[in-house]
PDB file of all heavy atoms in Angstrom:
ATOM      1  N   HIS A   1      54.980   9.182 -12.736  1.00  0.00           N
ATOM      2  CA  HIS A   1      55.704   8.293 -11.829  1.00  0.00           C
ATOM      3  C   HIS A   1      55.917   8.970 -10.470  1.00  0.00           C
ATOM      4  O   HIS A   1      56.211  10.171 -10.402  1.00  0.00           O
ATOM      5  CB  HIS A   1      57.064   7.907 -12.422  1.00  0.00           C
ATOM      6  CG  HIS A   1      56.961   7.139 -13.708  1.00  0.00           C
ATOM      7  ND1 HIS A   1      56.598   5.815 -13.768  1.00  0.00           N
ATOM      8  CD2 HIS A   1      57.171   7.532 -14.991  1.00  0.00           C
ATOM      9  CE1 HIS A   1      56.582   5.405 -15.020  1.00  0.00           C
ATOM     10  NE2 HIS A   1      56.930   6.443 -15.794  1.00  0.00           N
ATOM     11  N   ARG A   2      55.778   8.195  -9.417  1.00  0.00           N
ATOM     12  CA  ARG A   2      55.964   8.716  -8.072  1.00  0.00           C
ATOM     13  C   ARG A   2      57.419   8.539  -7.615  1.00  0.00           C
ATOM     14  O   ARG A   2      58.005   7.465  -7.785  1.00  0.00           O
ATOM     15  CB  ARG A   2      55.049   7.996  -7.081  1.00  0.00           C
ATOM     16  CG  ARG A   2      53.574   8.289  -7.250  1.00  0.00           C
ATOM     17  CD  ARG A   2      52.785   7.637  -6.122  1.00  0.00           C
ATOM     18  NE  ARG A   2      51.359   7.898  -6.239  1.00  0.00           N
ATOM     19  CZ  ARG A   2      50.471   7.567  -5.333  1.00  0.00           C
ATOM     20  NH1 ARG A   2      50.856   6.941  -4.222  1.00  0.00           N
ATOM     21  NH2 ARG A   2      49.187   7.828  -5.509  1.00  0.00           N
ATOM     22  N   TYR A   3      57.929   9.578  -6.983  1.00  0.00           N
ATOM     23  CA  TYR A   3      59.277   9.520  -6.425  1.00  0.00           C
ATOM     24  C   TYR A   3      59.217   9.986  -4.974  1.00  0.00           C
ATOM     25  O   TYR A   3      58.795  11.125  -4.707  1.00  0.00           O
ATOM     26  CB  TYR A   3      60.235  10.415  -7.236  1.00  0.00           C
ATOM     27  CG  TYR A   3      60.362  10.009  -8.685  1.00  0.00           C
ATOM     28  CD1 TYR A   3      59.524  10.580  -9.652  1.00  0.00           C
ATOM     29  CD2 TYR A   3      61.277   9.056  -9.077  1.00  0.00           C
ATOM     30  CE1 TYR A   3      59.611  10.204 -10.983  1.00  0.00           C
ATOM     31  CE2 TYR A   3      61.387   8.665 -10.422  1.00  0.00           C
ATOM     32  CZ  TYR A   3      60.549   9.244 -11.364  1.00  0.00           C
ATOM     33  OH  TYR A   3      60.638   8.854 -12.679  1.00  0.00           O
ATOM     34  N   PRO A   4      59.603   9.122  -4.032  1.00  0.00           N
ATOM     35  CA  PRO A   4      59.526   9.508  -2.622  1.00  0.00           C
ATOM     36  C   PRO A   4      60.516  10.613  -2.277  1.00  0.00           C
ATOM     37  O   PRO A   4      61.618  10.677  -2.832  1.00  0.00           O
ATOM     38  CB  PRO A   4      59.861   8.211  -1.875  1.00  0.00           C
ATOM     39  CG  PRO A   4      60.649   7.400  -2.853  1.00  0.00           C
ATOM     40  CD  PRO A   4      60.122   7.751  -4.209  1.00  0.00           C
ATOM     41  N   ILE A   5      60.095  11.476  -1.384  1.00  0.00           N
ATOM     42  CA  ILE A   5      60.962  12.552  -0.893  1.00  0.00           C
ATOM     43  C   ILE A   5      61.339  12.211   0.554  1.00  0.00           C
ATOM     44  O   ILE A   5      60.481  12.187   1.438  1.00  0.00           O
ATOM     45  CB  ILE A   5      60.247  13.909  -0.947  1.00  0.00           C
ATOM     46  CG1 ILE A   5      59.831  14.226  -2.389  1.00  0.00           C
ATOM     47  CG2 ILE A   5      61.138  15.018  -0.386  1.00  0.00           C
ATOM     48  CD1 ILE A   5      58.973  15.476  -2.505  1.00  0.00           C
ATOM     49  N   TYR A   6      62.589  11.928   0.770  1.00  0.00           N
ATOM     50  CA  TYR A   6      63.033  11.511   2.101  1.00  0.00           C
ATOM     51  C   TYR A   6      63.633  12.687   2.869  1.00  0.00           C
ATOM     52  O   TYR A   6      64.578  13.321   2.416  1.00  0.00           O
ATOM     53  CB  TYR A   6      64.087  10.398   1.992  1.00  0.00           C
ATOM     54  CG  TYR A   6      63.543   9.104   1.444  1.00  0.00           C
ATOM     55  CD1 TYR A   6      63.777   8.735   0.119  1.00  0.00           C
ATOM     56  CD2 TYR A   6      62.804   8.238   2.246  1.00  0.00           C
ATOM     57  CE1 TYR A   6      63.292   7.540  -0.390  1.00  0.00           C
ATOM     58  CE2 TYR A   6      62.309   7.047   1.749  1.00  0.00           C
ATOM     59  CZ  TYR A   6      62.558   6.705   0.435  1.00  0.00           C
ATOM     60  OH  TYR A   6      62.065   5.521  -0.065  1.00  0.00           O
ATOM     61  N   SER A   7      63.038  12.967   4.006  1.00  0.00           N
ATOM     62  CA  SER A   7      63.604  13.945   4.934  1.00  0.00           C
ATOM     63  C   SER A   7      62.874  13.794   6.260  1.00  0.00           C
ATOM     64  O   SER A   7      61.870  13.068   6.356  1.00  0.00           O
ATOM     65  CB  SER A   7      63.445  15.382   4.401  1.00  0.00           C
ATOM     66  OG  SER A   7      62.124  15.837   4.603  1.00  0.00           O
ATOM     67  N   SER A   8      63.346  14.464   7.275  1.00  0.00           N
ATOM     68  CA  SER A   8      62.740  14.363   8.600  1.00  0.00           C
ATOM     69  C   SER A   8      61.349  14.984   8.647  1.00  0.00           C
ATOM     70  O   SER A   8      60.588  14.738   9.590  1.00  0.00           O
ATOM     71  CB  SER A   8      63.640  15.033   9.644  1.00  0.00           C
ATOM     72  OG  SER A   8      63.817  16.410   9.325  1.00  0.00           O
ATOM     73  N   THR A   9      60.992  15.768   7.630  1.00  0.00           N
ATOM     74  CA  THR A   9      59.686  16.428   7.629  1.00  0.00           C
ATOM     75  C   THR A   9      58.772  15.954   6.493  1.00  0.00           C
ATOM     76  O   THR A   9      57.708  16.522   6.271  1.00  0.00           O
ATOM     77  CB  THR A   9      59.850  17.957   7.516  1.00  0.00           C
ATOM     78  OG1 THR A   9      60.527  18.267   6.300  1.00  0.00           O
ATOM     79  CG2 THR A   9      60.618  18.510   8.706  1.00  0.00           C
ATOM     80  N   THR A  10      59.205  14.899   5.774  1.00  0.00           N
ATOM     81  CA  THR A  10      58.384  14.416   4.657  1.00  0.00           C
ATOM     82  C   THR A  10      58.039  12.935   4.748  1.00  0.00           C
ATOM     83  O   THR A  10      57.207  12.463   3.966  1.00  0.00           O
ATOM     84  CB  THR A  10      59.091  14.666   3.311  1.00  0.00           C
ATOM     85  OG1 THR A  10      60.386  14.032   3.342  1.00  0.00           O
ATOM     86  CG2 THR A  10      59.238  16.157   3.047  1.00  0.00           C
ATOM     87  N   ASN A  11      58.653  12.186   5.641  1.00  0.00           N
ATOM     88  CA  ASN A  11      58.275  10.786   5.774  1.00  0.00           C
ATOM     89  C   ASN A  11      58.562  10.284   7.195  1.00  0.00           C
ATOM     90  O   ASN A  11      59.471  10.762   7.876  1.00  0.00           O
ATOM     91  CB  ASN A  11      59.002   9.905   4.754  1.00  0.00           C
ATOM     92  CG  ASN A  11      60.478   9.726   5.062  1.00  0.00           C
ATOM     93  OD1 ASN A  11      61.275  10.634   4.838  1.00  0.00           O
ATOM     94  ND2 ASN A  11      60.835   8.567   5.582  1.00  0.00           N
ATOM     95  N   GLY A  12      57.733   9.336   7.620  1.00  0.00           N
ATOM     96  CA  GLY A  12      57.904   8.747   8.945  1.00  0.00           C
ATOM     97  C   GLY A  12      57.322   7.353   8.973  1.00  0.00           C
ATOM     98  O   GLY A  12      56.528   6.975   8.105  1.00  0.00           O
ATOM     99  N   SER A  13      57.706   6.545   9.976  1.00  0.00           N
ATOM    100  CA  SER A  13      57.169   5.196  10.115  1.00  0.00           C
ATOM    101  C   SER A  13      57.112   4.822  11.590  1.00  0.00           C
ATOM    102  O   SER A  13      57.875   5.345  12.412  1.00  0.00           O
ATOM    103  CB  SER A  13      58.027   4.191   9.344  1.00  0.00           C
ATOM    104  OG  SER A  13      59.349   4.150   9.849  1.00  0.00           O
ATOM    105  N   TRP A  14      56.188   3.905  11.916  1.00  0.00           N
ATOM    106  CA  TRP A  14      55.966   3.469  13.290  1.00  0.00           C
ATOM    107  C   TRP A  14      55.927   1.944  13.313  1.00  0.00           C
ATOM    108  O   TRP A  14      55.112   1.327  12.618  1.00  0.00           O
ATOM    109  CB  TRP A  14      54.653   4.035  13.831  1.00  0.00           C
ATOM    110  CG  TRP A  14      54.668   5.522  13.973  1.00  0.00           C
ATOM    111  CD1 TRP A  14      54.846   6.231  15.113  1.00  0.00           C
ATOM    112  CD2 TRP A  14      54.525   6.499  12.931  1.00  0.00           C
ATOM    113  NE1 TRP A  14      54.823   7.581  14.852  1.00  0.00           N
ATOM    114  CE2 TRP A  14      54.630   7.780  13.525  1.00  0.00           C
ATOM    115  CE3 TRP A  14      54.315   6.412  11.550  1.00  0.00           C
ATOM    116  CZ2 TRP A  14      54.532   8.948  12.782  1.00  0.00           C
ATOM    117  CZ3 TRP A  14      54.229   7.573  10.805  1.00  0.00           C
ATOM    118  CH2 TRP A  14      54.331   8.826  11.423  1.00  0.00           C
ATOM    119  N   ALA A  15      56.791   1.332  14.100  1.00  0.00           N
ATOM    120  CA  ALA A  15      56.888  -0.128  14.139  1.00  0.00           C
ATOM    121  C   ALA A  15      55.758  -0.766  14.930  1.00  0.00           C
ATOM    122  O   ALA A  15      55.396  -1.916  14.690  1.00  0.00           O
ATOM    123  CB  ALA A  15      58.240  -0.552  14.733  1.00  0.00           C
ATOM    124  N   SER A  16      55.189  -0.032  15.865  1.00  0.00           N
ATOM    125  CA  SER A  16      54.120  -0.591  16.695  1.00  0.00           C
ATOM    126  C   SER A  16      52.932   0.361  16.737  1.00  0.00           C
ATOM    127  O   SER A  16      53.054   1.548  16.442  1.00  0.00           O
ATOM    128  CB  SER A  16      54.625  -0.858  18.113  1.00  0.00           C
ATOM    129  OG  SER A  16      55.118   0.334  18.704  1.00  0.00           O
ATOM    130  N   SER A  17      51.801  -0.185  17.117  1.00  0.00           N
ATOM    131  CA  SER A  17      50.556   0.580  17.130  1.00  0.00           C
ATOM    132  C   SER A  17      50.566   1.649  18.222  1.00  0.00           C
ATOM    133  O   SER A  17      50.956   1.387  19.357  1.00  0.00           O
ATOM    134  CB  SER A  17      49.387  -0.376  17.354  1.00  0.00           C
ATOM    135  OG  SER A  17      48.185   0.327  17.527  1.00  0.00           O
ATOM    136  N   ASP A  18      50.140   2.853  17.851  1.00  0.00           N
ATOM    137  CA  ASP A  18      50.020   3.959  18.803  1.00  0.00           C
ATOM    138  C   ASP A  18      48.865   4.850  18.337  1.00  0.00           C
ATOM    139  O   ASP A  18      48.983   5.568  17.352  1.00  0.00           O
ATOM    140  CB  ASP A  18      51.321   4.760  18.869  1.00  0.00           C
ATOM    141  CG  ASP A  18      51.236   5.962  19.802  1.00  0.00           C
ATOM    142  OD1 ASP A  18      50.181   6.146  20.453  1.00  0.00           O
ATOM    143  OD2 ASP A  18      52.213   6.729  19.873  1.00  0.00           O
ATOM    144  N   THR A  19      47.770   4.781  19.057  1.00  0.00           N
ATOM    145  CA  THR A  19      46.575   5.539  18.679  1.00  0.00           C
ATOM    146  C   THR A  19      46.866   7.012  18.462  1.00  0.00           C
ATOM    147  O   THR A  19      46.320   7.646  17.560  1.00  0.00           O
ATOM    148  CB  THR A  19      45.494   5.387  19.770  1.00  0.00           C
ATOM    149  OG1 THR A  19      45.071   4.023  19.809  1.00  0.00           O
ATOM    150  CG2 THR A  19      44.290   6.271  19.481  1.00  0.00           C
ATOM    151  N   HIS A  20      47.729   7.576  19.283  1.00  0.00           N
ATOM    152  CA  HIS A  20      47.967   9.022  19.249  1.00  0.00           C
ATOM    153  C   HIS A  20      49.202   9.415  18.432  1.00  0.00           C
ATOM    154  O   HIS A  20      49.710  10.531  18.567  1.00  0.00           O
ATOM    155  CB  HIS A  20      48.093   9.556  20.682  1.00  0.00           C
ATOM    156  CG  HIS A  20      46.875   9.279  21.513  1.00  0.00           C
ATOM    157  ND1 HIS A  20      45.637   9.762  21.197  1.00  0.00           N
ATOM    158  CD2 HIS A  20      46.716   8.529  22.636  1.00  0.00           C
ATOM    159  CE1 HIS A  20      44.752   9.347  22.083  1.00  0.00           C
ATOM    160  NE2 HIS A  20      45.374   8.598  22.961  1.00  0.00           N
ATOM    161  N   SER A  21      49.668   8.528  17.587  1.00  0.00           N
ATOM    162  CA  SER A  21      50.783   8.871  16.708  1.00  0.00           C
ATOM    163  C   SER A  21      50.329   9.915  15.690  1.00  0.00           C
ATOM    164  O   SER A  21      49.180   9.936  15.270  1.00  0.00           O
ATOM    165  CB  SER A  21      51.284   7.617  15.976  1.00  0.00           C
ATOM    166  OG  SER A  21      50.208   6.965  15.322  1.00  0.00           O
ATOM    167  N   TYR A  22      51.252  10.790  15.328  1.00  0.00           N
ATOM    168  CA  TYR A  22      50.939  11.822  14.328  1.00  0.00           C
ATOM    169  C   TYR A  22      52.230  12.240  13.636  1.00  0.00           C
ATOM    170  O   TYR A  22      53.342  11.929  14.089  1.00  0.00           O
ATOM    171  CB  TYR A  22      50.276  13.032  14.985  1.00  0.00           C
ATOM    172  CG  TYR A  22      51.186  13.837  15.892  1.00  0.00           C
ATOM    173  CD1 TYR A  22      51.923  14.912  15.399  1.00  0.00           C
ATOM    174  CD2 TYR A  22      51.327  13.502  17.230  1.00  0.00           C
ATOM    175  CE1 TYR A  22      52.773  15.644  16.215  1.00  0.00           C
ATOM    176  CE2 TYR A  22      52.175  14.218  18.060  1.00  0.00           C
ATOM    177  CZ  TYR A  22      52.889  15.294  17.549  1.00  0.00           C
ATOM    178  OH  TYR A  22      53.736  16.006  18.368  1.00  0.00           O
ATOM    179  N   PHE A  23      52.059  12.945  12.517  1.00  0.00           N
ATOM    180  CA  PHE A  23      53.229  13.421  11.780  1.00  0.00           C
ATOM    181  C   PHE A  23      52.852  14.693  11.047  1.00  0.00           C
ATOM    182  O   PHE A  23      51.800  14.757  10.397  1.00  0.00           O
ATOM    183  CB  PHE A  23      53.707  12.371  10.778  1.00  0.00           C
ATOM    184  CG  PHE A  23      55.032  12.691  10.140  1.00  0.00           C
ATOM    185  CD1 PHE A  23      56.215  12.420  10.808  1.00  0.00           C
ATOM    186  CD2 PHE A  23      55.099  13.258   8.871  1.00  0.00           C
ATOM    187  CE1 PHE A  23      57.446  12.709  10.220  1.00  0.00           C
ATOM    188  CE2 PHE A  23      56.303  13.554   8.283  1.00  0.00           C
ATOM    189  CZ  PHE A  23      57.491  13.282   8.958  1.00  0.00           C
ATOM    190  N   ASN A  24      53.708  15.696  11.153  1.00  0.00           N
ATOM    191  CA  ASN A  24      53.503  16.966  10.457  1.00  0.00           C
ATOM    192  C   ASN A  24      54.444  17.037   9.261  1.00  0.00           C
ATOM    193  O   ASN A  24      55.668  16.993   9.424  1.00  0.00           O
ATOM    194  CB  ASN A  24      53.741  18.142  11.394  1.00  0.00           C
ATOM    195  CG  ASN A  24      52.688  18.230  12.482  1.00  0.00           C
ATOM    196  OD1 ASN A  24      51.513  17.969  12.240  1.00  0.00           O
ATOM    197  ND2 ASN A  24      53.096  18.570  13.702  1.00  0.00           N
ATOM    198  N   ILE A  25      53.861  17.139   8.078  1.00  0.00           N
ATOM    199  CA  ILE A  25      54.649  17.213   6.846  1.00  0.00           C
ATOM    200  C   ILE A  25      54.899  18.674   6.486  1.00  0.00           C
ATOM    201  O   ILE A  25      53.971  19.487   6.481  1.00  0.00           O
ATOM    202  CB  ILE A  25      53.903  16.528   5.686  1.00  0.00           C
ATOM    203  CG1 ILE A  25      53.772  15.032   5.957  1.00  0.00           C
ATOM    204  CG2 ILE A  25      54.616  16.774   4.358  1.00  0.00           C
ATOM    205  CD1 ILE A  25      52.954  14.309   4.908  1.00  0.00           C
ATOM    206  N   TYR A  26      56.157  18.961   6.200  1.00  0.00           N
ATOM    207  CA  TYR A  26      56.503  20.320   5.762  1.00  0.00           C
ATOM    208  C   TYR A  26      57.497  20.209   4.608  1.00  0.00           C
ATOM    209  O   TYR A  26      58.521  19.534   4.710  1.00  0.00           O
ATOM    210  CB  TYR A  26      57.119  21.135   6.895  1.00  0.00           C
ATOM    211  CG  TYR A  26      57.387  22.571   6.501  1.00  0.00           C
ATOM    212  CD1 TYR A  26      56.402  23.547   6.629  1.00  0.00           C
ATOM    213  CD2 TYR A  26      58.627  22.940   5.979  1.00  0.00           C
ATOM    214  CE1 TYR A  26      56.644  24.861   6.252  1.00  0.00           C
ATOM    215  CE2 TYR A  26      58.877  24.250   5.586  1.00  0.00           C
ATOM    216  CZ  TYR A  26      57.874  25.203   5.726  1.00  0.00           C
ATOM    217  OH  TYR A  26      58.107  26.503   5.336  1.00  0.00           O
ATOM    218  N   TYR A  27      57.151  20.867   3.507  1.00  0.00           N
ATOM    219  CA  TYR A  27      58.040  20.845   2.355  1.00  0.00           C
ATOM    220  C   TYR A  27      57.883  22.150   1.585  1.00  0.00           C
ATOM    221  O   TYR A  27      56.765  22.556   1.252  1.00  0.00           O
ATOM    222  CB  TYR A  27      57.714  19.663   1.442  1.00  0.00           C
ATOM    223  CG  TYR A  27      58.658  19.507   0.282  1.00  0.00           C
ATOM    224  CD1 TYR A  27      59.948  19.018   0.474  1.00  0.00           C
ATOM    225  CD2 TYR A  27      58.261  19.842  -1.015  1.00  0.00           C
ATOM    226  CE1 TYR A  27      60.819  18.856  -0.587  1.00  0.00           C
ATOM    227  CE2 TYR A  27      59.127  19.695  -2.087  1.00  0.00           C
ATOM    228  CZ  TYR A  27      60.404  19.209  -1.863  1.00  0.00           C
ATOM    229  OH  TYR A  27      61.286  19.064  -2.918  1.00  0.00           O
ATOM    230  N   ASP A  28      59.005  22.798   1.299  1.00  0.00           N
ATOM    231  CA  ASP A  28      59.000  24.081   0.599  1.00  0.00           C
ATOM    232  C   ASP A  28      59.316  23.845  -0.874  1.00  0.00           C
ATOM    233  O   ASP A  28      60.459  23.557  -1.246  1.00  0.00           O
ATOM    234  CB  ASP A  28      60.035  25.018   1.234  1.00  0.00           C
ATOM    235  CG  ASP A  28      59.913  26.444   0.708  1.00  0.00           C
ATOM    236  OD1 ASP A  28      59.222  26.659  -0.303  1.00  0.00           O
ATOM    237  OD2 ASP A  28      60.510  27.352   1.328  1.00  0.00           O
ATOM    238  N   ASP A  29      58.310  23.962  -1.702  1.00  0.00           N
ATOM    239  CA  ASP A  29      58.487  23.737  -3.140  1.00  0.00           C
ATOM    240  C   ASP A  29      59.303  24.849  -3.790  1.00  0.00           C
ATOM    241  O   ASP A  29      59.861  24.675  -4.872  1.00  0.00           O
ATOM    242  CB  ASP A  29      57.109  23.639  -3.815  1.00  0.00           C
ATOM    243  CG  ASP A  29      57.204  23.298  -5.282  1.00  0.00           C
ATOM    244  OD1 ASP A  29      57.736  22.212  -5.590  1.00  0.00           O
ATOM    245  OD2 ASP A  29      56.761  24.114  -6.118  1.00  0.00           O
ATOM    246  N   ASN A  30      59.406  25.986  -3.103  1.00  0.00           N
ATOM    247  CA  ASN A  30      60.174  27.110  -3.666  1.00  0.00           C
ATOM    248  C   ASN A  30      61.653  26.770  -3.823  1.00  0.00           C
ATOM    249  O   ASN A  30      62.328  27.325  -4.691  1.00  0.00           O
ATOM    250  CB  ASN A  30      60.042  28.346  -2.765  1.00  0.00           C
ATOM    251  CG  ASN A  30      58.639  28.924  -2.802  1.00  0.00           C
ATOM    252  OD1 ASN A  30      58.184  29.379  -3.838  1.00  0.00           O
ATOM    253  ND2 ASN A  30      57.955  28.904  -1.664  1.00  0.00           N
ATOM    254  N   VAL A  31      62.147  25.887  -2.957  1.00  0.00           N
ATOM    255  CA  VAL A  31      63.582  25.562  -2.993  1.00  0.00           C
ATOM    256  C   VAL A  31      63.845  24.237  -3.686  1.00  0.00           C
ATOM    257  O   VAL A  31      64.982  23.753  -3.708  1.00  0.00           O
ATOM    258  CB  VAL A  31      64.166  25.530  -1.564  1.00  0.00           C
ATOM    259  CG1 VAL A  31      64.028  26.883  -0.897  1.00  0.00           C
ATOM    260  CG2 VAL A  31      63.486  24.457  -0.722  1.00  0.00           C
ATOM    261  N   ALA A  32      62.809  23.607  -4.246  1.00  0.00           N
ATOM    262  CA  ALA A  32      62.998  22.344  -4.951  1.00  0.00           C
ATOM    263  C   ALA A  32      63.811  22.562  -6.212  1.00  0.00           C
ATOM    264  O   ALA A  32      63.690  23.580  -6.887  1.00  0.00           O
ATOM    265  CB  ALA A  32      61.646  21.728  -5.299  1.00  0.00           C
ATOM    266  N   SER A  33      64.672  21.608  -6.541  1.00  0.00           N
ATOM    267  CA  SER A  33      65.540  21.751  -7.707  1.00  0.00           C
ATOM    268  C   SER A  33      64.810  21.456  -9.009  1.00  0.00           C
ATOM    269  O   SER A  33      65.208  21.916 -10.073  1.00  0.00           O
ATOM    270  CB  SER A  33      66.749  20.808  -7.574  1.00  0.00           C
ATOM    271  OG  SER A  33      66.305  19.463  -7.450  1.00  0.00           O
ATOM    272  N   ASP A  34      63.740  20.647  -8.929  1.00  0.00           N
ATOM    273  CA  ASP A  34      62.991  20.335 -10.141  1.00  0.00           C
ATOM    274  C   ASP A  34      61.562  20.857  -9.998  1.00  0.00           C
ATOM    275  O   ASP A  34      61.230  21.534  -9.033  1.00  0.00           O
ATOM    276  CB  ASP A  34      62.997  18.822 -10.395  1.00  0.00           C
ATOM    277  CG  ASP A  34      62.469  18.053  -9.181  1.00  0.00           C
ATOM    278  OD1 ASP A  34      62.093  18.694  -8.178  1.00  0.00           O
ATOM    279  OD2 ASP A  34      62.438  16.816  -9.229  1.00  0.00           O
ATOM    280  N   LEU A  35      60.732  20.539 -10.951  1.00  0.00           N
ATOM    281  CA  LEU A  35      59.365  21.052 -10.929  1.00  0.00           C
ATOM    282  C   LEU A  35      58.390  19.898 -11.192  1.00  0.00           C
ATOM    283  O   LEU A  35      58.001  19.654 -12.336  1.00  0.00           O
ATOM    284  CB  LEU A  35      59.195  22.142 -11.986  1.00  0.00           C
ATOM    285  CG  LEU A  35      57.920  22.984 -11.890  1.00  0.00           C
ATOM    286  CD1 LEU A  35      57.854  23.721 -10.559  1.00  0.00           C
ATOM    287  CD2 LEU A  35      57.850  23.971 -13.050  1.00  0.00           C
TER     288      LEU A  35
END
């Protein structure tokens, strides 16, 4: 089962089209509470 991870570095959205939109995902699994 998939569970979304919400944070400023794990998800983003864009309401309008922008060719040059981008997003850098960063998540440290070392500090995750589960596995």
